[in-house]
Amino acid sequence: MPGLPGLTGPPARRSAVLSACVAVAAALASLTAPAPAAFAAAVPGHESPPGHHHADGRASTVAADPDEAAVIGEEHARAHAQRRSAAKGPKEYPQSKRTESLTALTSSQQRTNAPFSAAQFGRFTEFFPSPDFGVHTALLPTGKVLLFSFERVETDPTKETGPTDRIGPTNAGRAFLWDPAKGTGPRAFKKVEPPTVLMPDGTYTPRPAPFFCAGHAFLPNGMVGVFGGNTGGKGGSGAKLSFVFDPWTETWFRNQDMAVGRWYPSVVTGADGRQIIMSGQSERGTGTPTPVVERFPALRHPVPWRTYDIPVGLAAERMRADAPFRNDYPHLFSLRDGMVYGLGRDADQQWLFDPVKETRTDLPRRPADFRGYGSAVPLPAGFRGPDSVLVLGGDPHDPNTYRLSGGRWTTEEPRAFGRTQDDTLILPDGTLLTVNGALDTRNYGHGPFNPKADLSYRRIELRDAKGHWKLGPAQRLPRGYHSNALVLPDGRMMVTGDELQQIANDPDIKDEMDGSIELYEPAYLHRGGGRPALDRVPGGDLGYGAAFEVRSSTAARVKRAVLLAPTTVTHAVNTSQRHLELPLTGVRGSVIGLRTPPGAADAPPGYYMLFLLDAKGVPSTAKWVKLGGRRQ
């Protein structure tokens, strides 16, 4: 184990301790899975910088064994002691309480949802354990879902469960793949551990990269760029880490560090396929958001286009424009004009970035006040790319939704009530669905770090094509901070995230499945008559403004063809969503003629799900197509 401090002493003792190290790691790995960073809010509806509020949430320090410390060092020995302590099981939050809570939530969900017609409101179906909390999720073009977060340091959900302010090996990341084709059991998950790194935290102890609360977006070759993370200390400090996850080899690759540390940054893919990285707390700690904007890869490197173009050791580069956001995770969108819209949480920090000229200009002030972790969605605009964004959530006292279009803001129809930590998705039929939410960060209606939740935050809301909202059925778990959701290729919706609630409702806190996933079937899957079939799509790259053909055994029923971009999301920030209608140019037997969007500003290069829909809005199961050509 190279790099471990204090690795001295008699060979026999050294061997024994190293053996213990391996044994502890293997036997207790399932018990040390920490949860994402959680932070209470100073004022309801106004979140303070991450890491400031831990309530009594820091896990108590466990003393290291002196003999063990003499061999492997104080910090490493303390980590062992902490893991051994965790293995004995929680003392303050018993398993019976978790079991009773999950049973009660199951019952209340059944009672609440009984009156709802699945054909009108959809329905929640499967609920099953996951080995990860799903603080970060991404739907990959292989159909698998990447989930990553951190190793938990606490199993009591009334305390901070993540290693937010930890320095040393307990501040570590983890990652898994879920393969829906393999079902919902443990064999459907595969561990894809992040690279081992030496963090500049004074200990330089190797550990899986602590990339939780990073930012991420898709590259044109289907890989996920992940930037930033948590070095630990100072209320949470930004890491300079830069990785890609390769869905084709299911492997992580490390690139050159960024110029600055970033904890809570946002990332968006532009029309040229390069990624723009903004914001985040710097390496100097919480309260030091960076204004530096970076681009990956740097212009001197080609954009990774082919599936075997793996970015390894590539550099990002600093752009001339700055982005002095006062608060983290701004919403970023690349719209049909090729510009990047940076919609900050503060009403007066709404900016337009030109990624070619590298300039920043002001947008009008958004209505209402500060908004915390809420949704923002680029609204479908037919054949062309989106030209407007709907901002919603983030303020429990404001149910209104706000639309930015044509350089001005309008107040749109409100939802039933205000909520934060919500996730709003575009469905294949062009409607919107909000899931998850809370009163505030770590507050579900009864104070921070209290798993008890108001039922209202568990109910979904649906927005039709005319912009009208209606409340729908309830999900099993309340999911607030660190909750996530995405649309799967079969048209279902996956819901996960919020380690506090997952830990509070874990049916077996001692096993390695300490997260959970719930599946929802939208109403279009319950309208009868069967689904359209999409049997074959082109296998090569599709150019812009190009005609192409697909095959369907139900071609006569097909009325619409839709491209839906896959989601990669964290902290209610989803920069990848996009919905485009493709013109049907003709139907000949089982062959349907279609045309791709006009250009890369309408749909940035990369992988999209192609759905065929019938007159009732029922979608086929999607197949993946790739837009664009190789770009330099």
Side-chain angles (χ1 to χ4, degrees):
M1 287 182 118
L4 294 180
L7 199 54
T8 60
R13 179 192 289 180
R14 192 162 63 240
S15 174
V17 174
L18 289 177
S19 297
C21 181
V22 173
V24 168
L28 303 180
S30 64
L31 299 173
T32 57
F39 319 100
V43 180
H46 292 72
E47 297 170 30
S48 57
H52 271 289
H53 299 274
H54 297 273
D56 58 349
R58 291 199 175 86
S60 58
T61 301
V62 179
D65 178 88
D67 291 336
E68 194 172 34
V71 177
I72 63 173
E74 180 73 20
E75 180 71 21
H76 199 188
R78 191 182 304 120
H80 280 196
Q82 199 164 32
R83 289 176 180 232
R84 286 191 292 267
S85 176
K88 295 177 182 178
K91 297 180 178 63
E92 301 177 23
Y93 208 87
Q95 179 62 56
S96 59
K97 196 168 185 178
R98 304 174 207 274
T99 304
E100 291 167 3
S101 176
L102 182 58
T103 299
L105 289 171
T106 303
S107 298
S108 64
Q109 182 188 37
Q110 292 173 345
R111 291 193 303 272
T112 302
N113 294 352
F116 286 98
S117 161
Q120 288 184 292
F121 295 93
R123 69 175 183 182
F124 284 93
T125 56
E126 296 180 87
F127 179 91
F128 55 97
S130 164
D132 192 70
F133 300 124
V135 177
H136 304 263
T137 62
L139 174 63
L140 305 175
T142 59
K144 299 179 182 180
V145 179
L146 174 68
L147 307 103
F148 61 98
S149 61
F150 49 73
E151 295 291 340
R152 72 187 183 204
V153 294
E154 175 63 67
T155 58
D156 185 340
T158 65
K159 300 178 180 179
E160 172 56 66
T161 53
T164 300
D165 208 22
R166 295 298 184 91
I167 293 176
T170 56
N171 182 8
R174 66 180 185 184
F176 292 84
L177 286 175
W178 173 48
D179 184 354
K182 292 185 178 180
T184 60
R187 63 179 293 272
F189 295 90
K190 174 185 175 181
K191 190 170 188 178
V192 286
E193 188 166 278
T196 298
V197 297
L198 293 171
M199 297 302 296
D201 58 4
T203 69
Y204 293 94
T205 308
R207 88 291 299 268
F211 53 9
F212 54 91
C213 300
H216 33 89
F218 292 104
L219 287 162
N221 62 356
M223 298 181 187
V224 184
V226 177
F227 305 93
N230 181 18
T231 302
K234 304 175 185 176
S237 303
K240 298 181 180 180
L241 298 170
S242 173
F243 300 103
V244 295
F245 182 77
D246 178 1
W248 315 108
T249 63
E250 300 183 347
T251 306
W252 291 95
F253 294 94
R254 187 173 182 179
N255 285 287
Q256 292 183 33
D257 284 354
M258 295 181 291
V260 294
R262 298 180 189 272
W263 189 41
Y264 288 66
S266 297
V267 185
V268 67
T269 303
D272 63 353
R274 298 181 191 273
Q275 298 179 324
I276 308 297
I277 311 158
M278 298 185 194
S279 190
Q281 302 296 317
S282 80
E283 63 272 23
R284 292 177 291 131
T286 291
T288 64
T290 179
V292 174
V293 178
E294 295 184 76
R295 170 170 48 209
F296 179 85
L299 289 178
R300 65 181 179 273
H301 300 302
V303 174
W305 175 255
R306 299 163 300 190
T307 57
Y308 51 85
D309 291 335
I310 301 174
V312 180
L314 299 189
E317 65 185 354
R318 183 168 179 168
M319 299 180 70
R320 289 192 297 270
D322 66 355
F325 289 105
R326 288 189 293 270
N327 285 279
D328 303 316
Y329 277 135
H331 292 286
L332 303 182
F333 297 103
S334 178
L335 299 187
R336 73 160 67 159
D337 57 6
M339 301 293 105
V340 171
Y341 289 72
L343 309 182
R345 300 188 182 280
D346 295 275
D348 63 339
Q349 293 200 303
Q350 314 297 311
W351 291 319
L352 180 70
F353 297 88
D354 186 325
V356 177
K357 296 179 180 177
E358 300 185 22
T359 58
R360 170 174 59 88
T361 56
D362 291 340
L363 289 169
R365 180 187 178 95
R366 188 196 62 231
D369 198 358
F370 177 86
R371 306 187 76 80
Y373 295 121
S375 304
V377 180
L379 291 173
F383 179 46
R384 296 292 309 278
D387 61 358
S388 66
V389 175
L390 191 69
V391 175
L392 57 171
D395 184 347
H397 308 297
D398 183 2
N400 287 314
T401 63
Y402 300 96
R403 181 173 181 172
L404 176 66
S405 179
R408 70 186 189 93
W409 290 94
T410 55
T411 301
E412 304 291 301
E413 182 174 311
R415 294 184 293 185
F417 52 86
R419 63 171 98 185
T420 69
Q421 327 300 327
D422 53 296
D423 294 277
T424 301
L425 295 173
I426 312 173
L427 299 182
D429 62 359
T431 61
L432 304 186
L433 186 151
T434 292
V435 68
N436 301 324
L439 176 68
D440 212 330
T441 309
R442 295 301 194 196
N443 186 339
Y444 308 86
H446 300 275
F449 290 95
N450 182 346
K452 185 180 179 183
D454 290 345
L455 175 65
S456 56
Y457 296 118
R458 294 164 56 198
R459 294 184 62 182
I460 65 169
E461 291 194 60
L462 302 153
R463 181 181 185 269
D464 63 23
K466 296 181 179 179
H468 302 314
W469 291 93
K470 63 181 179 181
L471 277 173
Q475 59 200 94
R476 180 77 51 88
L477 259 59
R479 296 185 193 263
Y481 192 51
H482 291 157
S483 63
N484 287 310
L486 54 80
V487 177
L488 296 167
D490 61 11
R492 294 180 298 172
M493 186 177 73
M494 167 190 167
V495 184
T496 189
D498 189 334
E499 68 283 356
L500 185 155
Q501 290 293 342
Q502 291 173 98
I503 288 175
N505 296 282
D506 191 334
D508 185 358
I509 195 64
K510 294 184 179 181
D511 71 7
E512 61 184 15
M513 305 290 277
D514 54 1
S516 64
I517 293 172
E518 187 165 11
L519 299 180
Y520 167 81
E521 295 176 348
Y524 52 59
L525 296 180
H526 296 275
R527 290 175 182 156
R531 303 177 65 173
L534 177 54
D535 301 315
R536 187 182 304 172
V537 298
D541 301 344
L542 298 175
Y544 291 105
F548 69 104
E549 295 179 338
V550 301
R551 290 187 177 273
S552 169
S553 58
T554 60
R557 291 178 48 201
V558 173
K559 302 302 179 184
R560 298 166 61 192
V562 163
L563 289 183
L564 191 69
T567 278
T568 178
V569 60
T570 186
H571 292 75
V573 174
N574 185 338
T575 68
S576 64
Q577 287 201 90
R578 218 172 196 85
H579 181 284
L580 299 106
E581 301 270 352
L582 301 186
L584 275 66
T585 59
V587 177
R588 303 186 315 278
S590 63
V591 177
I592 301 174
L594 303 172
R595 184 172 293 277
T596 60
D602 296 288
Y607 286 86
Y608 291 78
M609 292 181 283
L610 173 62
F611 291 92
L612 300 180
L613 292 85
D614 66 15
K616 296 180 180 179
V618 178
S620 66
T621 294
K623 289 189 181 296
W624 294 92
V625 296
K626 186 180 178 188
L627 284 184
R630 190 181 178 195
R631 292 174 167 264
Q632 299 299 320

